[in-house]
Amino acid sequence: MNNAIDKAALHAMAAIQYSRKHIPLQSPTLAADFVSGLLIYLLEVISVIAFAALVFSGRLASQLPLALGFILAADALLIGVTALFSSFPGSVSGAQDVPGVVLGVVVASSVATLPRASLAQQFATAAMMIVITTLMTGATFLGLGLFKLGGLARFLPYPVMGGFLAGTGWLLAMGGLGIMVGAPFGPGWFHAPALAHWLPGAIFGAVIFLTVTRIRNLFTLPVLLVSGTLLFYVVALAAHIPIQRLLATGWLVGSIPTASLSRLPLSAGVLSQVNWPVVFHQLPSLAPVAIIGVIALLLNASGLELVIKKDTDLNRELVVAGASNLAAGLVGGLVGYPAISSSALNYKMTGGKRLVGALAAALLGLTVLFGSALITYIPKFILGAVLVYLGLELLVEWVYQAWFKFPKIDFLIIVSVMTMIIVSGFLNGIIFGLALALMLFVVSYSRVSIVRFALSGRDYHSRVTRGFQQQQFLETAGAQLAILKLQGFLFFGTANSLFDRVREEVQRSPVAIRFVLLDFTQVSGLDSTGLLSFARMLQWTQERRVTLALTGMRAQAQAQFARGGFHEQPGSLRIFSDLDHGVEWCEATIIAESPAADLANRDLITQLQAIARGRSGGATLVSYLRRQEYAPGAYLLRHGEEPDKLYFVESGRLSAQLDGPGQAPVRLEVMIGGHIVGELGFFLSIPRTVAVIVEEPSVIYSLSTEALAGIEQRDPKTAILFYHIATYLLAERVVRLTRAVEALER
């Protein structure tokens, strides 16, 4: 997000590292500090003047020297505050290209609405827009940093940001040409006098881009700029064009008036000339600067962390950037924030010193006070070429390279946003990009299946472990239950696709579906427009006598369903707190309406004989067991107890749960008639891992370790039957768990 001059310096890091390896220094010297500060100062002067020329162009081009006084002074203040207070001592700030482009576009459109205003009024209005933009951006930085909300900026879609930067690149390049011509784009650009102004600069900008891209040397860009300046004067000398004529015909920047600092934007004389209605009308168009500025600052700070291999305090960086922009804004400076490559340059050459940034700031201040003559002779040809180069950098990165790096739909967003910015302005471009990104997100998200798992009641069972014969019955009758575990966000698109999936599950099932269970545990939210699809779904299931069960809904979703008229209706709609209770109810209903309902009332001997598949000896085995009746609330097992007994449940209902200190119990399993309890600890000789509590009046038989040892000695046939039954029940549980896992992995 930093401008391309910063990128050029960043490319030079490899050359710096090479030189430091082969020309080792005992320690960073004052000379190295001075060279670093001087190099950063030279690049910053060119950048600031170029960006200022974008704002003060066209009708205001003659006012550029007057504005440079306070803009350079404010930039010195910006760099100085950052150097003193940044969390990274070597951090170097600088004016940025995006604010310059936005301001240039807005100021140009504002001046166009003031054709009868005096030049002083137009100048004052433009200067006030600079002040407001910088102060607004500084306040945004400061507020986000103080409240630690910098992460909010990352919600801007990346393709929209890319389109913004691509549009910035186009306007930078066109602005650079406009600076050289001295007039907005039009047919006059292609007449010989205008061509003589901008065509050489456009070519030189392309040369800078190609050279800097290929020659990654620290001094590539400065040498090119100096060479271009010398070439300009050689041509002027060969053509016998005097300096005064170059100044008069707009080839040079011009000198900073000695009284320029007395005409600060917030001085009484300038404030009295501001056209405030025009300024207030343009405020929405200036807002994108703050948004993009936050994103750019955070990206630069993250990139700098990679260079210095240390973490920076992002919130502190926002606060420092906010304070520095507020200070610069009061003087009339452009928006700025730490530049990754200038900061990296400082780090590589000096180890990262505050002195380097302070030196660059001091040189800028001295330029305003004593170096205006040097600025006078800077050719606009150089400024325009620099802006063309910056524009090409952004266009190549966000248009040409984006074609290969991004999905085509993201590339379409980038180009669309860029086109809208060029045609209609930055604010409309960003609004259009956000709307387009939102629309494409909705379409793409609608294609993501809202159903995470589709299961059958044959494969997925509740935590209620029923008797052998009832469990065998559910192996086939469980197909009457269809379970859809949902995920993501439910809105009109995904809710409609869910309705289609429910119809598909019911219609394609070879067994008549009687229950459709929708689990909302992993649903993050529900849009009210999605309730229409649920209303149609409920009507459709009612017509086919299918009960719709909703489980795991959050309180907010339940309230939305209630407001939409969704209340429990026997035989039509049921709502449960979680998936397990919902599946349990469906299983109980299936069993209750079938011959399997009577199986739960059989005695233990009959149940064991069914498990043994015709083997005799069930009555003998039961004779070795101890029968006992338990009341609700009694503990059959406690966590950590010694496993001295194993239990057979003849009738009733028990719950296995995890009990933790200070935590609500977690239900793991519910056991009813025909089930063994405590077998893991009993066979493995380990303490009880869970607690088992009686929920309903129950009849339970127990077998102690001593009794089993006696059976093994006196009645081996019965002992074999016991192990056969225990093994079968354990194997059946493993099979049910395996089927559930397989169903989840489909």
Side-chain angles (χ1 to χ4, degrees):
M1 291 288 290
N2 52 312
N3 63 50
I5 288 180
D6 289 335
K7 284 189 175 181
L10 188 59
H11 291 330
M13 292 303 103
I16 296 172
Q17 289 177 315
Y18 179 86
S19 64
R20 292 190 66 185
K21 287 180 180 178
H22 292 77
I23 309 175
L25 297 176
Q26 296 300 320
S27 62
T29 63
L30 188 61
D33 299 343
F34 180 79
V35 171
S36 300
L38 180 61
L39 183 58
I40 292 171
Y41 156 76
L42 291 174
L43 294 174
E44 185 64 16
V45 164
I46 297 295
S47 299
V48 172
I49 296 176
F51 300 150
L54 280 175
V55 181
F56 294 91
S57 59
R59 297 180 184 178
L60 292 176
S62 63
Q63 302 298 298
L64 174 61
L66 182 62
L68 284 179
F70 58 77
I71 289 177
L72 287 171
D75 196 55
L77 191 58
L78 175 83
I79 296 174
V81 171
T82 302
L84 291 176
F85 299 105
S86 173
S87 60
F88 169 54
S91 183
V92 180
S93 286
Q96 300 294 323
D97 46 8
V98 172
V101 173
V102 175
L103 280 167
V105 172
V106 174
V107 168
S109 63
S110 301
V111 170
T113 64
L114 300 171
R116 298 182 180 179
S118 66
L119 194 58
Q121 291 175 326
Q122 293 176 351
F123 172 82
T125 303
M128 186 51 56
M129 288 182 183
I130 295 176
V131 170
I132 290 177
T133 302
T134 306
L135 291 178
M136 178 173 58
T137 305
T140 303
F141 288 164
L142 189 63
L144 292 176
L146 290 175
F147 292 100
K148 304 184 186 306
L149 298 174
L152 293 176
R154 303 186 191 276
F155 286 95
L156 183 66
Y158 200 62
V160 176
M161 185 171 62
F164 184 94
L165 293 174
T168 299
W170 173 266
L171 294 175
L172 272 171
M174 295 302 293
L177 300 180
I179 289 173
M180 292 183 281
V181 176
F185 178 76
W189 276 30
F190 300 97
H191 296 159
L195 280 171
H197 277 76
W198 69 261
L199 187 57
I203 295 173
F204 187 54
V207 170
I208 294 176
F209 168 71
L210 295 173
T211 306
V212 170
T213 303
R214 286 163 173 74
I215 304 177
R216 299 183 177 183
N217 187 278
L218 176 62
F219 299 101
T220 299
L221 183 59
V223 167
L224 286 171
L225 296 179
V226 172
S227 300
T229 303
L230 293 176
L231 179 63
F232 171 82
Y233 281 106
V234 168
V235 172
L237 183 62
H240 304 289
I241 303 175
I243 295 295
Q244 294 304 319
R245 185 179 172 187
L246 292 175
L247 285 168
T249 53
W251 284 95
L252 303 179
V253 170
S255 61
I256 300 177
T258 55
S260 61
L261 290 181
S262 65
R263 294 199 61 191
L264 297 177
L266 295 182
S267 63
V270 176
L271 286 173
S272 63
Q273 299 288 327
V274 175
N275 189 312
W276 293 104
V278 171
V279 172
F280 292 138
H281 178 72
Q282 295 292 352
L283 286 180
S285 299
L286 298 173
V289 174
I291 300 172
I292 299 298
V294 173
I295 298 172
L297 187 151
L298 294 176
L299 289 177
N300 285 4
S302 299
L304 185 58
E305 289 177 340
L306 298 177
V307 173
I308 66 176
K309 298 179 177 60
K310 293 180 181 178
D311 291 337
T312 58
D313 187 340
L314 294 181
N315 288 309
R316 179 177 171 182
E317 290 303 307
L318 281 167
V319 170
V320 172
S324 61
N325 277 275
L326 289 176
L330 294 174
V331 179
L334 298 171
V335 172
Y337 36 81
I340 179 175
S341 52
S342 296
S343 304
L345 177 65
N346 183 7
Y347 173 75
K348 295 296 183 181
M349 293 189 70
T350 71
K353 287 188 175 181
R354 298 189 188 274
L355 177 62
V356 173
L359 178 60
L363 291 173
L364 281 169
L366 292 173
T367 300
V368 176
L369 296 176
F370 308 107
S372 61
L374 296 176
I375 293 177
T376 301
Y377 302 108
I378 296 177
K380 289 185 178 180
F381 159 82
I382 294 297
L383 301 181
V386 167
L387 293 177
V388 169
Y389 155 56
L390 298 179
L392 287 175
E393 277 273 353
L394 292 174
L395 287 171
V396 168
E397 179 179 0
W398 291 103
V399 178
Y400 174 73
Q401 294 178 359
W403 171 261
F404 302 101
K405 293 193 301 184
F406 291 94
K408 294 303 177 276
I409 193 65
D410 289 347
F411 178 79
L412 175 63
I413 295 177
I414 291 172
V415 175
S416 300
V417 172
M418 178 187 73
T419 304
M420 182 62 70
I421 287 174
I422 295 171
V423 173
S424 187
F426 280 98
L427 182 61
N428 291 336
I430 286 186
I431 293 174
F432 172 76
L434 290 174
L436 184 60
L438 179 61
M439 180 182 68
L440 293 175
F441 169 78
V442 170
V443 173
S444 300
Y445 195 84
S446 297
R447 295 175 181 172
V448 177
S449 177
I450 191 68
V451 178
R452 184 176 184 184
F453 299 119
L455 309 169
S456 168
R458 294 182 56 186
D459 304 315
Y460 187 90
H461 299 281
S462 69
R463 293 175 182 172
V464 177
T465 305
R466 306 178 188 278
F468 170 76
Q469 291 174 306
Q470 288 190 354
Q471 204 67 46
Q472 290 293 310
F473 175 76
L474 287 177
E475 289 298 322
T476 55
Q480 300 175 36
L481 167 62
I483 304 170
L484 300 180
K485 193 169 181 61
L486 311 182
Q487 64 180 352
F489 188 84
L490 277 168
F491 61 103
F492 62 90
T494 52
N496 187 67
S497 65
L498 175 60
F499 181 25
D500 292 338
R501 181 65 180 273
V502 169
R503 283 190 295 196
E504 180 184 350
E505 292 287 334
V506 173
Q507 292 172 350
R508 76 177 183 180
S509 174
V511 178
I513 298 292
R514 295 181 52 210
F515 305 92
V516 173
L517 187 149
L518 305 178
D519 182 58
F520 286 73
T521 303
Q522 295 187 7
V523 172
S524 57
L526 173 69
D527 188 277
S528 57
T529 57
L531 290 177
L532 177 61
S533 294
F534 278 98
R536 293 168 53 214
M537 185 190 306
L538 180 59
Q539 181 181 1
W540 188 85
T541 53
Q542 286 174 334
E543 292 173 353
R544 286 153 182 79
R545 297 185 178 181
V546 175
T547 299
L548 190 64
L550 310 180
T551 68
M553 286 195 296
R554 301 178 184 181
Q556 182 179 1
Q558 288 193 42
Q560 286 180 273
F561 271 92
R563 289 194 298 269
F566 290 84
H567 303 284
E568 285 198 341
Q569 305 171 35
S572 297
L573 178 66
R574 295 297 303 267
I575 300 175
F576 299 93
S577 60
D578 55 53
L579 174 64
D580 188 52
H581 284 89
V583 175
E584 177 187 348
W585 178 84
C586 293
E587 290 175 343
T589 305
I590 292 172
I591 292 173
E593 299 175 0
S594 69
D598 298 331
L599 300 177
N601 299 321
R602 298 190 176 187
D603 58 41
L604 182 61
I605 296 176
T606 304
Q607 295 176 31
L608 295 180
Q609 286 293 144
I611 297 173
R613 296 182 179 272
R615 295 190 183 190
S616 61
T620 305
L621 175 60
V622 172
S623 67
Y624 288 109
L625 308 180
R626 179 185 175 187
R627 183 182 186 278
Q628 188 172 352
E629 297 183 2
Y630 289 83
Y635 273 82
L636 183 66
L637 303 178
R638 292 184 182 273
H639 183 273
E641 285 183 339
E642 290 301 317
D644 57 344
K645 292 180 182 179
L646 177 143
Y647 300 90
F648 289 87
V649 182
E650 180 181 75
S651 63
R653 180 183 175 97
L654 295 83
S655 176
Q657 64 185 35
L658 284 175
D659 292 331
Q663 297 180 350
V666 178
R667 185 173 89 160
L668 299 176
E669 186 178 11
V670 174
M671 296 154 284
I672 59 178
H675 186 71
I676 58 175
V677 180
E679 68 278 15
L680 294 181
F682 185 81
F683 289 122
L684 298 177
S685 299
I686 59 175
R688 306 296 188 187
T689 56
V690 297
V692 177
I693 302 175
V694 177
E695 292 187 349
E696 298 176 359
S698 303
V699 176
I700 301 174
Y701 289 76
S702 62
L703 175 66
S704 66
T705 53
E706 294 82 359
L708 178 59
I711 295 173
E712 290 173 339
Q713 291 180 359
R714 296 188 300 271
D715 192 351
K717 183 177 180 180
T718 301
I720 292 173
L721 177 65
F722 163 75
Y723 284 116
H724 173 81
I725 292 172
T727 302
Y728 186 91
L729 291 175
L730 287 170
E732 188 212 15
R733 177 182 296 180
V734 172
V735 169
R736 285 192 286 110
L737 292 174
T738 302
R739 287 180 177 176
V741 171
E742 290 176 348
L744 292 174
E745 291 181 346
R746 289 174 187 168

